[in-house]
Amino acid sequence: MLERSDTAPLFTATRGTSDHETFELEDHIGDGPTVLAFFPGAFTPPCTNEMVALQDNLEAFQDAGATIFGVSADSPFSQGAFRDEHGIEFDLVSDMSGDVIRKYDLEIDIEELGLYGIANRAVFVLDETGTVTYRWVADDPTNEPDYEELLEAVNTATE
């Protein structure tokens, strides 16, 4: 399990748009804090709540110099539709293969919903060197992070 002070694994995935643009985490390291918000699945109530809450606080995160990325196993098309429907302005990253989810040791199954190999809800803040300065992993994927604590962690990562 990835812990605070670990170097975050770099990865390549696909942006959650219909254009299927490549996303490289390495391209965002060094530009201020990076927030990686892993979520189980678009269009589910807890995930919608979380992504909308991050969007609602986007200006505060940007004022702190942070860039937010939501990461899930959803297809880029699904993520694009999700962003459009909920007015999400930050990028979502599609990890349909589950490679990123496994690198971050977040793979879970929610059998009662027929979901396998998806991301547990988790948030990591990376500083400008790619070091994990904040880590929160849900005990239950229906739980959401403490957004004030997360913003405080972002502000601390810039010091």
Coordinates of all heavy atoms in Angstrom, one line a residue, residues 7-74:
T7 N 7.3 7.6 -3.1 CA 7.3 8.2 -4.4 C 6.1 7.6 -5.1 O 6.0 6.3 -5.2 CB 8.6 8.0 -5.2 OG1 9.6 8.6 -4.5 CG2 8.5 8.6 -6.6
A8 N 5.2 8.4 -5.6 CA 4.0 7.9 -6.3 C 4.4 7.2 -7.6 O 5.3 7.7 -8.4 CB 3.1 9.0 -6.6
P9 N 3.8 6.1 -7.9 CA 4.1 5.4 -9.2 C 3.6 6.3 -10.4 O 2.5 6.8 -10.4 CB 3.3 4.1 -9.1 CG 2.9 3.9 -7.7 CD 2.9 5.3 -7.1
L10 N 4.5 6.4 -11.3 CA 4.1 7.1 -12.6 C 3.2 6.2 -13.4 O 3.4 5.0 -13.3 CB 5.3 7.6 -13.3 CG 6.2 8.6 -12.6 CD1 7.4 8.9 -13.4 CD2 5.4 9.9 -12.2
F11 N 2.4 6.8 -14.3 CA 1.6 6.0 -15.1 C 1.1 6.7 -16.4 O 1.2 7.9 -16.4 CB 0.3 5.4 -14.4 CG -0.6 6.5 -13.9 CD1 -1.6 7.0 -14.7 CD2 -0.5 7.0 -12.6 CE1 -2.5 8.0 -14.2 CE2 -1.3 7.9 -12.1 CZ -2.3 8.4 -12.9
T12 N 0.7 5.9 -17.3 CA 0.1 6.4 -18.6 C -1.3 5.8 -18.6 O -1.5 4.6 -18.4 CB 1.0 6.0 -19.8 OG1 2.3 6.5 -19.7 CG2 0.4 6.5 -21.1
A13 N -2.2 6.7 -19.0 CA -3.6 6.2 -19.1 C -4.3 7.0 -20.2 O -3.6 7.6 -21.0 CB -4.3 6.3 -17.8
T14 N -5.6 7.1 -20.2 CA -6.3 7.8 -21.2 C -7.2 8.9 -20.5 O -7.9 8.6 -19.5 CB -7.2 6.9 -22.0 OG1 -6.4 5.8 -22.6 CG2 -8.0 7.6 -23.1
R15 N -7.2 10.1 -21.1 CA -8.1 11.1 -20.5 C -9.5 10.7 -20.8 O -9.8 10.1 -21.8 CB -7.8 12.5 -21.2 CG -6.6 13.1 -20.8 CD -6.4 14.5 -21.3 NE -5.1 15.0 -21.2 CZ -4.6 15.6 -20.1 NH1 -5.5 15.8 -19.1 NH2 -3.4 16.0 -20.0
G16 N -10.4 11.1 -19.9 CA -11.8 10.7 -20.0 C -12.6 11.6 -20.9 O -13.4 12.4 -20.5
T17 N -12.2 11.6 -22.2 CA -12.9 12.3 -23.2 C -13.2 11.4 -24.4 O -12.6 10.3 -24.5 CB -12.1 13.6 -23.7 OG1 -10.9 13.1 -24.4 CG2 -11.7 14.5 -22.5
S18 N -13.9 11.9 -25.3 CA -14.2 11.1 -26.6 C -13.0 11.2 -27.5 O -12.9 10.4 -28.5 CB -15.4 11.6 -27.3 OG -15.3 13.0 -27.6
D19 N -12.0 12.0 -27.2 CA -10.8 12.1 -28.0 C -9.7 11.1 -27.7 O -8.8 11.0 -28.5 CB -10.2 13.5 -27.9 CG -11.1 14.6 -28.4 OD1 -12.0 14.3 -29.3 OD2 -11.0 15.8 -27.9
H20 N -9.9 10.4 -26.6 CA -8.9 9.4 -26.2 C -7.4 9.9 -26.2 O -6.5 9.2 -26.6 CB -9.0 8.1 -27.1 CG -10.2 7.3 -26.9 ND1 -11.4 7.7 -27.5 CD2 -10.4 6.2 -26.2 CE1 -12.3 6.8 -27.1 NE2 -11.7 5.9 -26.4
E21 N -7.3 11.1 -25.6 CA -5.9 11.6 -25.5 C -5.2 10.9 -24.4 O -5.8 10.4 -23.4 CB -6.0 13.1 -25.0 CG -6.7 14.0 -26.0 CD -7.0 15.4 -25.4 OE1 -6.0 16.1 -25.2 OE2 -8.1 15.6 -25.0
T22 N -3.9 10.8 -24.6 CA -3.0 10.1 -23.6 C -2.8 11.0 -22.4 O -2.7 12.2 -22.5 CB -1.7 9.8 -24.2 OG1 -1.9 8.9 -25.3 CG2 -0.7 9.1 -23.2
F23 N -2.8 10.4 -21.2 CA -2.5 11.1 -20.0 C -1.3 10.5 -19.4 O -1.2 9.3 -19.2 CB -3.7 11.0 -19.0 CG -3.3 11.5 -17.6 CD1 -3.6 12.9 -17.3 CD2 -2.8 10.8 -16.6 CE1 -3.3 13.4 -16.1 CE2 -2.4 11.3 -15.4 CZ -2.7 12.6 -15.1
E24 N -0.3 11.4 -19.1 CA 1.0 11.0 -18.5 C 1.1 11.7 -17.1 O 1.2 12.9 -17.1 CB 2.2 11.4 -19.3 CG 2.2 10.7 -20.7 CD 2.9 9.4 -20.7 OE1 3.5 9.0 -19.7 OE2 2.8 8.7 -21.8
L25 N 1.0 11.0 -16.0 CA 1.2 11.6 -14.7 C 2.5 12.4 -14.7 O 2.5 13.5 -14.1 CB 1.1 10.6 -13.6 CG 1.3 11.2 -12.2 CD1 0.2 12.2 -11.9 CD2 1.3 10.0 -11.2
E26 N 3.5 11.9 -15.2 CA 4.8 12.6 -15.2 C 4.8 14.0 -15.7 O 5.5 14.9 -15.3 CB 5.9 11.7 -16.0 CG 7.3 12.3 -15.9 CD 8.2 11.3 -16.7 OE1 7.8 10.6 -17.6 OE2 9.4 11.4 -16.3
D27 N 3.9 14.2 -16.7 CA 3.8 15.6 -17.3 C 3.2 16.6 -16.3 O 3.3 17.8 -16.5 CB 2.8 15.6 -18.5 CG 3.4 14.8 -19.7 OD1 4.6 14.5 -19.7 OD2 2.6 14.4 -20.6
H28 N 2.7 16.1 -15.1 CA 2.0 17.0 -14.2 C 2.8 17.2 -12.9 O 2.5 18.0 -12.0 CB 0.6 16.6 -13.9 CG -0.2 16.5 -15.2 ND1 -0.7 17.6 -15.7 CD2 -0.5 15.5 -16.0 CE1 -1.4 17.3 -16.9 NE2 -1.2 16.0 -17.0
I29 N 3.9 16.3 -12.7 CA 4.7 16.4 -11.5 C 5.6 17.6 -11.7 O 6.2 17.8 -12.8 CB 5.5 15.1 -11.4 CG1 4.6 13.9 -11.2 CG2 6.5 15.3 -10.2 CD1 3.7 13.9 -10.0
G30 N 5.7 18.5 -10.7 CA 6.5 19.7 -10.8 C 5.8 20.9 -11.0 O 6.3 22.0 -11.0
D31 N 4.5 20.8 -11.3 CA 3.6 22.0 -11.5 C 2.8 22.4 -10.3 O 1.7 22.9 -10.5 CB 2.7 21.7 -12.7 CG 3.4 21.5 -14.0 OD1 4.6 22.0 -14.1 OD2 2.9 20.8 -14.9
G32 N 3.2 22.1 -9.1 CA 2.4 22.3 -7.9 C 1.8 21.0 -7.5 O 2.1 19.9 -8.1
P33 N 1.1 20.9 -6.4 CA 0.6 19.7 -5.9 C -0.4 19.0 -6.9 O -1.1 19.7 -7.6 CB -0.2 20.1 -4.6 CG 0.3 21.4 -4.3 CD 0.8 22.1 -5.5
T34 N -0.4 17.7 -6.9 CA -1.3 17.0 -7.8 C -2.2 16.1 -6.9 O -1.7 15.5 -6.0 CB -0.5 16.0 -8.7 OG1 0.4 16.8 -9.5 CG2 -1.4 15.2 -9.6
V35 N -3.5 16.2 -7.1 CA -4.4 15.5 -6.4 C -5.0 14.3 -7.3 O -5.5 14.6 -8.3 CB -5.6 16.3 -5.9 CG1 -6.7 15.5 -5.2 CG2 -5.1 17.5 -5.0
L36 N -4.8 13.1 -6.8 CA -5.3 11.9 -7.5 C -6.5 11.4 -6.7 O -6.3 10.9 -5.6 CB -4.2 10.8 -7.7 CG -3.0 11.2 -8.5 CD1 -2.0 10.0 -8.5 CD2 -3.4 11.6 -9.9
A37 N -7.7 11.6 -7.2 CA -8.9 11.1 -6.5 C -9.4 9.9 -7.3 O -10.0 10.0 -8.3 CB -9.9 12.2 -6.5
F38 N -9.1 8.7 -6.7 CA -9.6 7.4 -7.3 C -11.0 7.2 -6.8 O -11.4 7.5 -5.7 CB -8.7 6.3 -6.8 CG -7.4 6.2 -7.4 CD1 -6.3 7.0 -6.8 CD2 -7.1 5.4 -8.5 CE1 -5.1 7.0 -7.4 CE2 -5.8 5.4 -9.0 CZ -4.8 6.2 -8.5
F39 N -11.9 6.8 -7.8 CA -13.3 6.5 -7.4 C -13.8 5.3 -8.1 O -13.3 5.0 -9.2 CB -14.2 7.8 -7.7 CG -14.3 8.2 -9.2 CD1 -15.4 7.9 -9.9 CD2 -13.2 8.9 -9.8 CE1 -15.5 8.3 -11.3 CE2 -13.3 9.3 -11.1 CZ -14.4 9.0 -11.8
P40 N -14.7 4.6 -7.5 CA -15.2 3.3 -8.1 C -15.9 3.4 -9.4 O -15.6 2.6 -10.3 CB -16.1 2.7 -7.0 CG -15.7 3.4 -5.7 CD -15.2 4.7 -6.1
G41 N -16.8 4.3 -9.6 CA -17.5 4.4 -10.9 C -18.4 5.6 -11.1 O -19.1 6.0 -10.2
A42 N -18.3 6.1 -12.3 CA -19.1 7.3 -12.7 C -20.6 7.0 -12.6 O -21.0 5.8 -12.7 CB -18.7 7.7 -14.1
F43 N -21.3 8.0 -12.3 CA -22.8 7.9 -12.3 C -23.4 7.1 -11.1 O -24.5 6.8 -11.0 CB -23.4 7.3 -13.6 CG -23.1 8.2 -14.8 CD1 -22.2 7.8 -15.7 CD2 -23.8 9.4 -15.0 CE1 -21.9 8.6 -16.8 CE2 -23.5 10.2 -16.1 CZ -22.6 9.8 -17.0
T44 N -22.5 6.8 -10.1 CA -23.0 6.2 -8.9 C -23.1 7.3 -7.8 O -22.4 8.3 -7.9 CB -22.1 5.1 -8.3 OG1 -20.8 5.7 -8.1 CG2 -22.0 3.9 -9.3
P45 N -24.1 7.2 -6.9 CA -24.3 8.4 -6.0 C -23.1 8.8 -5.2 O -22.8 10.0 -5.2 CB -25.4 7.9 -5.1 CG -26.2 6.9 -6.0 CD -25.1 6.2 -6.8
P46 N -22.3 7.9 -4.6 CA -21.2 8.4 -3.8 C -20.1 9.0 -4.7 O -19.5 10.0 -4.3 CB -20.6 7.2 -3.1 CG -21.8 6.2 -3.1 CD -22.5 6.5 -4.3
C47 N -19.9 8.5 -5.9 CA -18.9 9.0 -6.8 C -19.3 10.3 -7.3 O -18.5 11.3 -7.5 CB -18.6 8.0 -7.9 SG -17.9 6.4 -7.2
T48 N -20.5 10.5 -7.7 CA -21.1 11.7 -8.1 C -20.9 12.8 -7.0 O -20.4 13.9 -7.3 CB -22.5 11.6 -8.6 OG1 -22.6 10.7 -9.6 CG2 -23.1 12.9 -9.0
N49 N -21.3 12.4 -5.8 CA -21.1 13.4 -4.7 C -19.7 13.8 -4.6 O -19.4 15.0 -4.4 CB -21.6 12.7 -3.4 CG -23.0 12.5 -3.3 OD1 -23.8 13.0 -4.1 ND2 -23.4 11.6 -2.4
E50 N -18.7 12.9 -4.6 CA -17.3 13.2 -4.5 C -16.8 14.1 -5.6 O -16.2 15.2 -5.3 CB -16.5 12.0 -4.4 CG -15.0 12.3 -4.2 CD -14.1 11.1 -4.3 OE1 -14.5 10.0 -4.8 OE2 -13.0 11.2 -3.8
M51 N -17.1 13.8 -6.8 CA -16.5 14.5 -7.9 C -17.2 15.9 -8.0 O -16.5 16.9 -8.3 CB -16.8 13.8 -9.3 CG -15.9 12.5 -9.4 SD -14.1 12.7 -9.3 CE -13.8 11.9 -7.8
V52 N -18.5 16.0 -7.6 CA -19.1 17.3 -7.6 C -18.6 18.2 -6.4 O -18.4 19.4 -6.6 CB -20.7 17.2 -7.5 CG1 -21.4 18.5 -7.2 CG2 -21.2 16.6 -8.8
A53 N -18.3 17.5 -5.3 CA -17.7 18.3 -4.2 C -16.3 18.8 -4.6 O -15.9 19.9 -4.2 CB -17.6 17.4 -2.9
L54 N -15.5 18.0 -5.3 CA -14.2 18.5 -5.7 C -14.4 19.6 -6.7 O -13.7 20.6 -6.6 CB -13.4 17.3 -6.3 CG -12.9 16.3 -5.4 CD1 -12.3 15.1 -6.1 CD2 -11.9 16.8 -4.4
Q55 N -15.4 19.5 -7.6 CA -15.7 20.6 -8.5 C -16.1 21.9 -7.8 O -15.6 23.0 -8.1 CB -16.7 20.2 -9.5 CG -17.2 21.3 -10.5 CD -16.0 21.8 -11.4 OE1 -15.3 21.0 -11.9 NE2 -16.0 23.1 -11.5
D56 N -16.9 21.7 -6.8 CA -17.4 22.8 -6.0 C -16.2 23.6 -5.3 O -16.3 24.8 -5.0 CB -18.4 22.4 -5.0 CG -19.8 22.0 -5.6 OD1 -20.0 22.3 -6.8 OD2 -20.6 21.4 -4.8
N57 N -15.2 22.8 -5.0 CA -14.0 23.4 -4.3 C -12.8 23.6 -5.3 O -11.7 23.9 -4.8 CB -13.6 22.5 -3.2 CG -14.6 22.5 -2.0 OD1 -14.7 23.5 -1.3 ND2 -15.4 21.4 -1.9
L58 N -13.1 23.5 -6.6 CA -12.0 23.6 -7.5 C -11.2 24.9 -7.5 O -10.0 24.9 -7.5 CB -12.5 23.4 -9.0 CG -11.5 23.3 -10.1 CD1 -10.5 22.1 -9.8 CD2 -12.2 23.1 -11.4
E59 N -11.9 26.0 -7.3 CA -11.2 27.3 -7.2 C -10.2 27.3 -6.0 O -9.1 27.8 -6.2 CB -12.2 28.4 -7.1 CG -11.6 29.8 -7.2 CD -12.6 30.9 -7.3 OE1 -13.7 30.7 -7.9 OE2 -12.4 32.0 -6.7
A60 N -10.7 26.8 -4.9 CA -9.8 26.8 -3.7 C -8.5 25.9 -4.0 O -7.4 26.3 -3.6 CB -10.5 26.3 -2.5
F61 N -8.7 24.8 -4.6 CA -7.6 23.9 -5.0 C -6.7 24.6 -6.0 O -5.5 24.6 -5.8 CB -8.1 22.6 -5.6 CG -8.6 21.6 -4.5 CD1 -10.0 21.5 -4.3 CD2 -7.7 20.9 -3.7 CE1 -10.4 20.6 -3.4 CE2 -8.2 20.0 -2.8 CZ -9.6 19.9 -2.6
Q62 N -7.3 25.3 -7.0 CA -6.5 26.0 -8.0 C -5.7 27.1 -7.3 O -4.6 27.4 -7.7 CB -7.3 26.4 -9.1 CG -7.8 25.3 -10.0 CD -8.8 25.7 -11.0 OE1 -9.5 26.7 -10.9 NE2 -8.9 24.9 -12.1
D63 N -6.4 27.9 -6.4 CA -5.7 29.0 -5.7 C -4.5 28.5 -4.9 O -3.5 29.2 -4.7 CB -6.7 29.7 -4.7 CG -7.7 30.5 -5.5 OD1 -7.6 30.7 -6.7 OD2 -8.7 30.9 -4.8
A64 N -4.5 27.2 -4.5 CA -3.4 26.6 -3.8 C -2.4 26.0 -4.7 O -1.4 25.4 -4.3 CB -3.9 25.5 -2.8
G65 N -2.6 26.2 -6.0 CA -1.7 25.7 -7.0 C -1.8 24.2 -7.4 O -1.0 23.7 -8.1
A66 N -2.9 23.6 -7.0 CA -3.1 22.2 -7.2 C -3.9 21.9 -8.5 O -4.7 22.7 -8.9 CB -3.8 21.5 -6.0
T67 N -3.6 20.7 -9.0 CA -4.3 20.2 -10.1 C -5.0 18.9 -9.7 O -4.3 18.0 -9.1 CB -3.4 19.9 -11.3 OG1 -2.6 21.1 -11.6 CG2 -4.1 19.4 -12.5
I68 N -6.3 18.7 -10.0 CA -7.0 17.5 -9.6 C -7.2 16.6 -10.8 O -7.6 17.1 -11.9 CB -8.4 17.9 -9.0 CG1 -8.2 18.8 -7.8 CG2 -9.2 16.7 -8.7 CD1 -9.5 19.4 -7.2
F69 N -7.1 15.3 -10.5 CA -7.5 14.3 -11.5 C -8.3 13.3 -10.8 O -7.9 12.7 -9.8 CB -6.2 13.7 -12.1 CG -5.3 14.7 -12.8 CD1 -4.2 15.1 -12.2 CD2 -5.6 15.1 -14.1 CE1 -3.3 16.1 -12.9 CE2 -4.8 16.0 -14.8 CZ -3.7 16.5 -14.1
G70 N -9.4 12.9 -11.4 CA -10.2 11.8 -11.0 C -9.8 10.6 -11.8 O -9.6 10.7 -13.0
V71 N -9.7 9.4 -11.1 CA -9.2 8.2 -11.8 C -10.2 7.1 -11.5 O -10.5 6.8 -10.3 CB -7.8 7.8 -11.3 CG1 -7.3 6.6 -12.0 CG2 -6.8 8.9 -11.4
S72 N -10.7 6.4 -12.5 CA -11.6 5.3 -12.3 C -11.4 4.3 -13.5 O -10.7 4.6 -14.5 CB -13.0 5.7 -12.3 OG -13.5 6.1 -13.6
A73 N -12.0 3.1 -13.4 CA -11.9 2.1 -14.4 C -12.9 2.3 -15.5 O -13.1 1.5 -16.4 CB -12.1 0.7 -13.8
D74 N -13.7 3.4 -15.4 CA -14.7 3.7 -16.4 C -14.1 4.0 -17.8 O -12.9 4.5 -17.9 CB -15.5 4.9 -16.0 CG -16.4 4.7 -14.8 OD1 -17.2 3.8 -14.8 OD2 -16.1 5.4 -13.8

